[in-house]
Amino acid sequence: MKIRNYPSVAETLYSEVLPNGLTIRVVPKPNFNRTFAVFATDYGGADRRFSLGGEWIDTPAGIAHYLEHKMFDTKDGNALNVLAANGASPNAFTGTDMTAYYFESTSRFEENLKMLLEFVSVPYFTEESVEKERGIIGQEIGMVEDSPDFQVYIRLMQALYRNSPVRCSVAGTVDSIAQITSQSLYDCHKAFYAPSNMALAVVGKVHPEQVVEIASAILPKEKAPKPVVDFGAPEDLLPVTHRTEVAMEVSAPQFMIGAKVAPQLSGTPRLHQKHVGTLAMNALFGRSSHFYAKLYGKNILSPDFEIDFDYAANTSTLFLAGQSNNPDAVLEEVLAAADNVRRNGLDREKFERLKNATLGSLIFGLEEFESLAVDLAGSAFYNYNVMDTFTQRADVSMEECEAFIAENLTAEKLAMSVVVPGGA
């Protein structure tokens, strides 16, 4: 195994790539009594058109999420029940570009890990069980579509992106999931759930060699080819429309402001860009910023204001979101703050203080086993290691953050989605 020490945070990462292509990453935590394991595939809601063996296949929106629901079925019952009976807390999620199955436990780790690898790698469902799930997922879709949080987000993505599948809900629609069959689910599992397209990450009280031994014994030995995914025609950096609005049953307007950013697709450049974007957004709009203090003091922003810089399906997007009685005033202040940086730059003393504070937050996050394990698995799909954050974050310069703000926070590139009171 490869061993990488991070003395500044007193952590060690063990990694291995098996002959079948599976990436394994383990961060032992001998002083803790719990362990978190995640088995993830580089497959999510945006991976709808793909080629395997030269043949292009189109699948309905929501099929990755549908498959996640059905993967807990086994010949002997349900894997969730078995893991829970073993004292584990299991679950799963489907994102835009990743599906992950996981558990946390304080005992019987080896038994639980074997179960996780077995049920995820061997699908078992029938046409009848697939049909039964259709109604359950349909109800879930209905509840999601009735959520203001979902509507303000998905409408922003549709305002920003013309072609990318990130415009669509990961769960799909009632109409799209009506096209899913047991055979299409098996086909997608065969394409995307091969070890060569997956990663296993474990954080906690565990021996790394034990994880490698279990995975080597249970998973297929051969290395299958990875599918090639088509995310649609290339996007420019301008939105389709600058504003979208819908009325719903909300007590106050909700808004989300966003812009497309030219993404670094993999490796160290991707991790570096993520650091630059995250620090730039926090320097300009974070809780300690002049922007937030001013708007919160004027009661224009509520305390639930959030900022993010996210990657998915060959896209990267910056977000600002929250509640405001005057979303247009928020947008004006966003543009004014960015323009001020273009003219005057950032405050260097405050910037360095922010870098130290965010690094402290990241160190604290090492005790959040779930997020660390998910990040370890997810970063493997893009050829970098999230633990390198602790050696690379210090390399981000204030000038890079200023350039990020100047380039991406412009009136031409920003779009805003608003949910206003008044829906029935």
Side-chain angles (χ1 to χ4, degrees):
M1 298 186 77
K2 292 183 178 179
I3 302 174
R4 178 77 183 273
N5 292 309
Y6 297 88
S8 64
V9 291
E11 298 287 358
T12 302
L13 172 68
Y14 295 78
S15 59
E16 179 89 7
V17 178
L18 299 185
N20 61 15
L22 178 72
T23 297
I24 299 176
R25 291 175 168 177
V26 182
V27 176
K29 300 273 193 175
N31 296 325
F32 290 81
N33 291 321
R34 57 193 174 95
T35 308
F36 188 96
V38 57
F39 192 28
T41 172
D42 186 8
Y43 176 49
D47 301 293
R48 291 165 46 193
R49 176 173 168 79
F50 63 92
S51 171
L52 195 62
E55 177 186 1
W56 283 100
I57 300 170
D58 290 288
T59 58
I63 193 167
H65 173 254
Y66 207 114
L67 181 56
E68 176 228 307
H69 271 238
K70 295 308 302 169
M71 282 310 302
F72 288 96
D73 290 357
T74 68
K75 288 184 179 181
D76 301 319
N78 186 281
L80 277 172
N81 297 334
V82 175
L83 287 165
N86 286 344
S89 299
N91 214 327
F93 69 83
T94 304
T96 306
D97 55 2
M98 180 171 74
T99 305
Y101 303 82
Y102 58 86
F103 71 85
E104 184 175 43
S105 66
T106 56
S107 62
R108 304 173 75 172
F109 169 76
E110 181 176 344
E111 187 177 345
N112 288 326
L113 181 60
K114 288 178 179 178
M115 183 66 195
L116 175 70
L117 299 178
E118 287 171 355
F119 85 79
V120 174
S121 59
V122 182
Y124 178 80
F125 34 79
T126 64
E127 197 63 53
E128 291 76 18
S129 68
V130 170
E131 183 61 37
K132 182 179 179 181
E133 196 72 30
R134 205 179 312 277
I136 297 171
I137 296 179
Q139 290 180 341
E140 182 179 326
I141 290 171
M143 289 187 291
V144 168
E145 290 179 345
D146 287 339
S147 163
D149 291 339
F150 170 78
Q151 287 296 335
V152 76
Y153 167 76
I154 202 68
R155 291 173 69 87
L156 175 65
M157 299 304 281
Q158 291 166 357
L160 287 171
Y161 291 95
R162 190 180 305 277
N163 306 306
S164 173
V166 299
R167 302 178 79 253
C168 302
S169 168
V170 168
T173 66
V174 171
D175 289 339
S176 70
I177 66 168
Q179 306 169 44
I180 296 172
T181 66
S182 61
Q183 187 58 54
S184 63
L185 292 174
Y186 277 117
D187 291 343
C188 287
H189 185 279
K190 182 179 180 180
F192 289 99
Y193 279 65
S196 56
N197 199 55
M198 302 187 75
L200 172 63
V202 183
V203 178
K205 192 172 185 178
V206 63
H207 296 291
E209 297 80 5
Q210 179 188 31
V211 176
V212 173
E213 289 174 5
I214 293 172
S216 299
I218 290 178
L219 297 176
K221 303 298 185 288
E222 66 278 4
K223 185 176 182 178
K226 292 179 60 125
V228 177
V229 179
D230 178 9
F231 294 121
E235 300 269 353
D236 60 31
L237 295 180
L238 299 179
V240 179
T241 182
H242 288 285
R243 184 184 172 92
T244 176
E245 183 176 305
V246 66
M248 298 184 72
E249 290 188 74
V250 293
S251 58
Q254 290 185 215
F255 72 89
M256 184 170 278
I257 299 168
K260 293 182 281 189
V261 176
Q264 293 288 344
L265 295 181
S266 67
T268 300
R270 183 185 181 105
L271 180 60
H272 186 76
Q273 185 187 42
K274 186 173 181 65
H275 292 333
V276 171
T278 301
L279 276 171
M281 294 290 284
N282 274 282
L284 196 55
F285 305 118
R287 294 302 172 98
S288 61
S289 68
H290 173 73
F291 169 89
Y292 181 79
K294 177 183 175 182
L295 271 65
Y296 181 70
K298 290 184 175 181
N299 204 30
I300 296 176
L301 275 183
S302 62
D304 64 352
F305 179 67
E306 295 180 352
I307 53 179
D308 196 12
F309 178 51
D310 189 37
Y311 291 85
N314 286 3
T315 69
S316 58
T317 314
L318 60 84
F319 300 97
L320 304 95
Q323 284 190 359
S324 174
N325 288 320
N326 193 346
D328 292 296
V330 177
L331 179 58
E332 289 178 8
E333 292 289 348
V334 166
L335 292 171
D339 187 57
N340 182 61
V341 170
R342 288 186 194 91
R343 290 183 286 108
N344 303 311
L346 294 169
D347 182 295
R348 187 168 297 277
E349 183 179 344
K350 289 183 179 179
F351 180 79
E352 293 301 330
R353 190 160 58 240
L354 175 66
K355 280 180 68 173
N356 293 332
T358 55
L359 185 58
S361 297
L362 289 168
I363 294 172
F364 182 76
L366 289 169
E367 295 186 8
E368 297 177 358
F369 290 11
E370 177 178 348
S371 60
L372 176 56
V374 169
D375 286 345
L376 284 168
S379 61
F381 300 142
Y382 296 97
N383 300 313
Y384 71 90
N385 166 22
V386 73
M387 290 293 290
D388 287 341
T389 292
F390 299 102
T391 58
Q392 295 180 12
R393 188 71 174 243
D395 296 336
V396 176
S397 71
M398 188 177 77
E399 289 73 21
E400 287 178 295
C401 292
E402 291 170 342
F404 181 92
I405 292 166
E407 179 181 356
N408 297 298
L409 289 163
T410 67
E412 292 77 18
K413 291 185 177 180
L414 290 177
M416 182 165 68
S417 170
V418 183
V419 174
V420 298

